[in-house]
């Protein structure tokens, strides 16, 4: 099938590459000429395991191309995916400016039946706005062209997006047209060979499903962080509590890891957007408001533990903190809303110097923090520890999970670890003479 994907960002690029991998002809559209040129040469602007290889392969095989011409993409394709950014507006609601601008441009060049697919995460009712924007431009041209607008939210995890797209748990489609439902079913058939994965519903329900899914996952994270904070105060170990409740099939083990709060491009933005959507509909979303408040506080927790520890040791001024992990999660270089930003800024405000390491996000960190003289970056995580007064683990990359603790102890000026992801065993740390502080655990 012929597919156009507008917006080669994280979602758009994964969508385009995976559809091409299944034998479709895919045109990916961006207004950014420099970006299009780089993508055409197989140079991708993000780190996502397997994505670069997939893009290069399908470029070479001629199934994937990049262009600045939206008209070319629309005229050559039956399916037109809108995958542009929907950043939060000042009130927390999703900014639809990019989505509606694309819809207008589609309306100016569409000349035959097309299925317009909202892949961007958008508020309930957006499909109607996209349809109206396209129809307005068609009417202005004085022609009559049939088209359908459907919702097809993405459920991709950064760091495992290729696998999520190629082997999805479910494929949610919002449409009121039986014919369109059959077309989209045919498009996704190669991704659902083992069992039926397509869930067809009305458009507004599909739009809501995306927000509800991310809101539930964010809620589980904030809930477990609340439990961790209680455990710490009553002398319980949250890692044991997690095992105790996770074994209940009604709860499960996923997304109940306590830590330094959630970040990234989805959860923070989508929780805010859902709160704004509820408010616009005349409803106060109390649970999600609390989830957001708990998360904001949790991002400061590890920094506060470090500040409190050094308070009796002449404070943090002049001290060096080795920070391991900058990305908001492993297997990505994405630092949007990353807890590391909040933690590092709080430590620097107290006079600390930072020695930072991350397997993939160093360049992004340099862009975010600029030429801050209080931050030094290291390519090797053991080098980042040298001479530091303590270590703070923020992102649970594999490379940090089973390190040489003796080497770490020798590198640190003081053998003190603040474990923001509960990766290490407190008893083992004590045995090795390392002072240890986790999240909701007995030190």
């Amino acid at each position: 099938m012929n597919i156009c994907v507008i917006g080669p960002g994280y979602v758009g690029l994964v969508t385009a590459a995976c559809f091409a991998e299944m034998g479709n002809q895919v045109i990916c559209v961006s207004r950014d000429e420099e970006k299009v040129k780089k993508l055409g040469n197989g140079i991708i602007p993000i780190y996502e395991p397997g994505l670069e290889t997939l893009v290069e392969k399908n470029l070479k095989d001629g199934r994937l191309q990049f262009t600045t011409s939206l008209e070319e993409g629309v005229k050559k394709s039956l399916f037109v995916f809108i995958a542009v950014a929907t950043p939060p507006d000042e009130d927390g609601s999703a900014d639809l400016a990019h989505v509606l601008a694309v819809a207008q441009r589609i309306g100016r060049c569409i000349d035959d039946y097309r299925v317009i697919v909202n892949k961007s995460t958008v508020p309930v009712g957006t499909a109607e706005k996209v349809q109206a924007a396209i129809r307005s431009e068609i009417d202005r041209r004085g022609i009559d062209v049939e088209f359908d607008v459907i919702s097809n939210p993405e459920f991709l995890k950064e760091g495992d997006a290729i696998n999520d797209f190629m082997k999805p748990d479910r494929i949610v489609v919002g449409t009121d047209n039986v014919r369109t439902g059959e077309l989209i079913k045919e498009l996704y058939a190669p991704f659902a060979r083992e069992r039926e994965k397509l869930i067809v519903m009305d458009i507004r329900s599909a739009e809501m499903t995306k927000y509800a899914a991310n809101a539930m996952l964010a809620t589980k994270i904030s809930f477990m962080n609340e439990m961790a904070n209680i455990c710490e105060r009553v002398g319980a170990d949250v890692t044991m509590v997690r095992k105790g409740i996770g074994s209940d099939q009604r709860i499960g083990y996923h997304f109940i890891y306590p830590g330094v709060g959630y970040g990234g491009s989805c959860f923070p933005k989508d929780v805010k957007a859902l709160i704004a959507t509820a408010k616009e509909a005349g409803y106060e979303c109390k649970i999600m408001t609390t989830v957001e408040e708990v998360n904001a506080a949790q991002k400061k927790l590890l920094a506060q533990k470090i500040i409190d520890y050094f308070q009796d040791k002449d404070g943090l001024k002049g001290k060096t903190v080795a920070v391991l992990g900058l990305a908001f999660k492993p297997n990505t270089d994405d630092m949007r809303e990353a807890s590391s930003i909040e933690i590092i800024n709080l430590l620097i405000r107290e006079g600390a110097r930072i020695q930072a390491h991350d397997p993939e996000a160093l360049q992004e960190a340099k862009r975010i923090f600029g030429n801050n003289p209080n931050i030094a970056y290291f390519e090797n995580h053991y080098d980042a520890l040298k001479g530091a007064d303590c270590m703070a683990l923020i992102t649970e990359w594999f490379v940090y999970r089973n390190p040489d603790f003796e080497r770490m102890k020798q590198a640190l000026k003081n053998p003190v670890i603040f474990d923001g992801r509960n990766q290490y065993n407190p008893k083992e740390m004590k045995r090795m003479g390392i002072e240890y502080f986790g999240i909701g655990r007995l030190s």
Side-chain angles (χ1 to χ4, degrees):
M1 291 186 170
N2 294 321
I3 301 167
C4 171
V5 178
I6 303 170
Y10 182 82
V11 172
L13 199 53
V14 171
T15 299
C18 289
F19 273 134
E21 179 68 8
M22 284 298 187
N24 299 287
Q25 292 297 130
V26 183
I27 298 175
C28 205
V29 180
S30 172
R31 277 184 162 179
D32 189 331
E33 291 185 10
E34 185 63 27
K35 189 174 188 178
V36 166
K37 183 178 178 182
K38 287 182 177 179
L39 287 169
N41 290 320
I43 302 171
I44 65 173
I46 58 174
Y47 173 74
E48 175 63 35
L51 182 57
E52 187 172 5
T53 300
L54 213 58
V55 169
E56 288 177 349
K57 176 186 176 185
N58 285 282
L59 279 170
K60 182 180 179 182
D61 293 345
R63 291 188 297 271
L64 177 63
Q65 69 178 88
F66 296 92
T67 180
T68 57
S69 174
L70 183 140
E71 183 175 357
E72 177 188 0
V74 171
K75 290 194 172 183
K76 289 183 176 179
S77 307
L78 171 60
F79 296 96
V80 180
F81 283 78
I82 300 176
V84 294
T86 52
D89 216 333
E90 291 182 3
D91 63 354
S93 62
D95 184 350
L96 296 178
H98 299 302
V99 171
L100 296 180
V102 166
Q104 290 173 336
R105 292 171 64 200
I106 291 172
R108 292 173 195 145
C109 63
I110 189 171
D111 58 4
D112 201 355
Y113 177 75
R114 297 290 182 268
V115 179
I116 313 301
V117 185
N118 273 342
K119 200 69 174 172
S120 301
T121 300
V122 293
V124 176
T126 299
E128 294 161 20
K129 294 178 181 180
V130 169
Q131 187 167 25
I134 296 173
R135 177 57 62 191
S136 177
E137 293 299 324
I138 291 174
D139 291 345
R140 189 174 286 116
R141 292 162 62 196
I143 61 174
D144 184 22
V145 180
E146 186 184 0
F147 67 95
D148 283 305
V149 178
I150 71 170
S151 173
N152 176 216
E154 53 84 16
F155 299 98
L156 306 177
K157 298 187 297 290
E158 289 194 44
D160 198 27
I162 302 299
N163 186 59
D164 284 343
F165 199 102
M166 301 297 273
K167 300 175 182 178
D169 295 323
R170 77 286 204 199
I171 302 163
V172 174
V173 174
T175 180
D176 301 318
N177 188 308
V178 175
R179 178 184 64 172
T180 309
E182 289 301 313
L183 286 172
I184 205 80
K185 184 175 182 179
E186 184 180 350
L187 175 65
Y188 275 111
F191 302 93
R193 294 178 65 87
E194 292 182 0
R195 61 177 174 84
E196 181 57 65
K197 297 180 180 181
L198 202 71
I199 304 173
V200 180
M201 59 184 72
D202 64 277
I203 295 174
R204 283 179 169 250
S205 294
E207 291 170 333
M208 184 65 184
T209 297
K210 170 64 176 180
Y211 280 121
N214 279 353
M216 173 58 80
L217 297 176
T219 300
K220 292 183 75 173
I221 293 170
S222 281
F223 170 83
M224 207 60 202
N225 283 330
E226 287 268 72
M227 294 302 103
N229 295 336
I230 295 172
C231 283
E232 200 163 304
R233 285 159 175 79
V234 301
D237 188 334
V238 74
T239 60
M240 296 295 102
V241 174
R242 178 185 174 274
K243 290 178 181 179
I245 67 173
S247 57
D248 187 328
Q249 292 183 359
R250 296 169 301 173
I251 298 172
Y253 289 107
H254 295 299
F255 284 86
I256 57 169
Y257 289 94
V260 291
Y262 60 77
S265 64
C266 294
F267 289 3
K269 175 175 69 72
D270 292 352
V271 168
K272 284 182 173 66
L274 185 57
I275 292 170
T277 296
K279 185 177 180 181
E280 189 178 336
Y283 181 77
E284 184 184 358
C285 197
K286 294 180 182 178
I287 290 178
M288 299 320 302
T289 299
T290 302
V291 165
E292 190 176 40
E293 290 172 354
V294 169
N295 192 63
Q298 199 71 16
K299 286 187 173 185
K300 300 175 182 178
L301 182 64
L302 196 70
Q304 194 58 54
K305 283 176 178 284
I306 297 170
I307 292 167
D308 291 345
Y309 176 84
F310 283 99
Q311 193 169 20
D312 298 330
K313 298 173 175 59
D314 301 322
L316 263 179
K317 190 172 182 179
K319 302 292 194 306
T320 299
V321 179
V323 173
L324 301 192
L326 300 170
F328 87 93
K329 64 179 290 188
N331 295 321
T332 181
D333 59 355
D334 194 345
M335 287 185 63
R336 283 174 288 183
E337 302 278 350
S339 299
S340 62
I341 299 173
E342 181 84 23
I343 292 167
I344 288 172
N345 283 334
L346 285 171
L347 295 176
I348 289 175
R349 197 176 303 158
E350 292 292 321
R353 295 188 300 269
I354 305 298
Q355 295 182 173
H357 174 268
D358 188 281
E360 296 294 339
L362 290 183
Q363 291 306 313
E364 182 63 9
K366 291 174 184 177
R367 185 190 68 80
I368 290 170
F369 292 111
N371 297 318
N372 193 316
N374 297 303
I375 305 176
Y377 300 96
F378 294 83
E379 297 290 337
N380 182 285
H381 61 290
Y382 289 111
D383 291 339
L385 301 177
K386 290 179 180 177
D389 292 278
C390 70
M391 183 199 98
L393 177 67
I394 298 177
T395 314
E396 65 276 31
W397 286 91
F398 284 161
V399 71
Y400 305 147
R401 290 194 176 182
N402 192 27
D404 184 337
F405 287 109
E406 193 58 44
R407 185 176 175 184
M408 291 173 70
K409 186 178 175 181
Q410 293 300 319
L412 289 165
K413 185 187 295 184
N414 300 302
V416 184
I417 292 178
F418 292 88
D419 184 356
R421 296 294 181 179
N422 288 346
Q423 293 294 291
Y424 307 137
N425 187 323
K427 292 181 179 179
E428 179 67 13
M429 296 297 95
K430 186 176 181 179
R431 187 187 67 79
M432 296 197 65
I434 297 173
E435 203 167 356
Y436 176 85
F437 301 89
I439 302 293
R441 305 184 76 178
L442 304 175
S443 298

